[in-house]
Amino acid sequence: MTETGLTKDRLGLTNHAMRLLLLIGALSATCLAGGCVNVSAPDKPIEINLNINVTQQVVVKLDASAKQLIDQNPGVF
């Protein structure tokens, strides 16, 4: 059986070597693209305004029978 150029690996690289070359290429492309990002501090300071108004209202409602019981026994409470 003869081997054609389509089935024979011309460079003699294994799957591991191909993956390594692909990883190196991807990392180098990432490093080159990393220089395109520019981060600078703002001219004015950042102001965080926390105007918080917390109000709490507690309302106790007693039904008529509980209120009547308290009125009948003032010494209990």
Side-chain angles (χ1 to χ4, degrees), residues 8 33 43 51 57 61 70 73:
K8 188 175 181 180
D43 296 336
N51 289 331
Q57 182 180 17
K61 294 184 178 180
I70 292 171
N73 301 314

Side-chain angles (χ1 to χ4, degrees), residues 12-58:
L13 297 175
T14 62
N15 284 341
H16 180 67
M18 288 296 290
R19 288 181 184 169
L20 185 62
L21 282 176
L22 183 64
L23 180 64
I24 290 171
L27 286 175
S28 63
T30 304
C31 290
L32 290 175
C36 298
V37 177
N38 186 10
V39 178
S40 61
D43 296 336
K44 295 186 280 184
I46 299 172
E47 181 180 338
I48 300 173
N49 193 359
L50 297 175
N51 289 331
I52 300 173
N53 185 8
V54 177
T55 59
Q56 182 178 6
Q57 182 180 17
V58 178

